[in-house]
Amino acid sequence: MKNFDLQRFGKTFRWFFLANKKQYMYWFAGVVVALFVAQMFGTRVMFSGAEGGYEPVVRDTLSFISALSMASMLVGATQILATASGKQQLTLFLMHPSTNLEKFLAAFLYVTVGWGLVLAVAFVAGDAMRVLIDVVGGHHETVWGIPMLRGVWSFPMLNGNGEVLWEPTAFSTLFAVFFHSFFVLGGVFYRRHTLVATCVTVIAGIFLFAYVGSQGFTRHFQLMVGDMYDVRLTPWGYVSAFACFLFIVLNYWLSFRLFKRMQVVNNRWINV
């Protein structure tokens, strides 16, 4: 950290973004099309039979798109080194006059904050295109999905009285960051087919956890207790939250350590 310079980091991130702006635009165009197709599919096919008019149809579609967006954030996390996958690109990146920490943070922000901005702008564009199709097609009702996001996301979590449930909100956020950190680690650990390899590893871990649970080891492993008015973490919940925090720190630290050991010439599947 003593070698970290904020101004130099800003220049590194700017260089990294400009060097990959073409791919960034491809990402943006692809996500816009994907979210528009998801909106049209949801409102015309998947949820078209919902009762209560067109508004519930749009709300259900937004829930579906929100799940896709969260999944795509994990996809983006595995692409932390994909922007420098070629030997020439990787050489230029590693030779950039900045520290390893500055380079890693630049790539990290590119696939987290940058990907999040892509999703946000693409959602607005996709929603506008759907509304335009509704107007041009003479749809009997015009409903914008953007104002409904607050109710769809339900963040922070609220109880039956509209009060914030801080403990479940913090735990769910921690759990989401844990998955993100694991996918970042997979993006650095695997050299080839990072998304597929990381997903296979995650699925194997889920099956392993399910198998352990089927043996009775998690019979009394309850994380939360309460009702719609008051939900709190159990002692096991606090232990799980602390373990989750430790794994987050470990995953990001391992990602950085592997990033420092990265070599231009590497014919293996992993960066070890």
Side-chain angles (χ1 to χ4, degrees):
M1 291 296 292
K2 64 181 181 179
N3 295 324
F4 183 83
D5 183 84
L6 186 60
Q7 184 177 6
R8 189 172 56 209
F9 164 71
K11 293 180 180 179
T12 303
F13 179 77
R14 180 175 179 273
W15 175 88
F16 193 80
F17 177 79
L18 293 177
N20 297 284
K21 62 180 180 180
K22 186 176 181 180
Q23 184 190 51
Y24 195 75
M25 295 307 298
Y26 284 151
W27 280 1
F28 175 72
V31 173
V32 168
V33 173
L35 292 187
F36 170 68
V37 171
Q39 289 228 20
M40 297 301 295
F41 178 76
T43 54
R44 266 60 176 179
V45 180
M46 183 175 291
F47 305 108
S48 59
E51 299 180 356
Y54 192 43
E55 185 171 329
V57 173
V58 176
R59 184 179 294 108
D60 291 341
T61 302
L62 290 182
S63 300
F64 169 65
I65 291 177
S66 296
L68 291 180
S69 299
M70 292 179 183
S72 65
M73 282 295 294
L74 300 180
V75 173
T78 63
Q79 305 304 302
I80 187 170
L81 295 182
T83 52
S85 56
K87 290 184 179 180
Q88 183 177 2
Q89 290 177 301
L90 185 56
T91 301
L92 292 174
F93 181 51
L94 294 178
M95 292 181 62
H96 192 271
S98 56
T99 64
N100 287 324
L101 180 60
E102 291 161 356
K103 294 172 187 174
F104 177 76
L105 289 179
F108 177 82
L109 289 180
Y110 181 80
V111 298
T112 51
V113 177
W115 188 252
L117 289 175
V118 164
L119 289 172
V121 177
F123 172 80
V124 174
D127 196 45
M129 292 168 64
R130 177 190 57 78
V131 171
L132 179 62
I133 294 296
D134 289 342
V135 173
V136 174
H139 199 274
H140 65 282
E141 191 175 0
T142 301
V143 177
W144 284 89
I146 299 174
M148 298 182 185
L149 283 178
R150 176 64 182 83
V152 171
W153 285 347
S154 296
F155 187 87
M157 296 180 180
L158 305 177
N159 62 13
N161 296 324
E163 300 170 339
V164 178
L165 296 171
W166 292 109
E167 291 185 8
T169 299
F171 183 81
S172 60
T173 302
L174 200 65
F175 196 67
V177 176
F178 163 73
F179 267 95
H180 184 268
S181 69
F182 193 88
F183 274 77
V184 169
L185 177 60
V188 180
F189 179 76
Y190 293 109
R191 191 64 179 249
R192 302 178 184 177
H193 308 293
T194 55
L195 175 59
V196 176
T198 304
C199 288
V200 170
T201 304
V202 170
I203 293 173
I206 292 175
F207 273 108
L208 178 62
F209 184 80
Y211 172 77
V212 172
S214 66
Q215 303 304 308
F217 293 104
T218 59
R219 185 176 304 167
H220 305 290
F221 192 74
Q222 189 175 10
L223 301 180
M224 299 181 189
V225 293
D227 51 29
M228 63 180 296
Y229 296 102
D230 187 24
V231 180
R232 296 185 178 277
L233 294 178
T234 64
W236 272 117
Y238 282 108
V239 171
S240 299
F242 182 70
C244 195
F245 173 77
L246 291 181
F247 272 109
I248 290 172
V249 175
L250 178 64
N251 288 341
Y252 285 140
W253 179 78
L254 287 175
S255 300
F256 176 60
R257 297 292 294 181
L258 289 172
F259 176 83
K260 291 200 304 181
R261 297 182 55 180
M262 185 171 53
Q263 299 176 353
V264 175
V265 179
N266 186 349
N267 294 322
R268 298 188 297 270
W269 274 61
I270 58 177
N271 279 318
V272 178

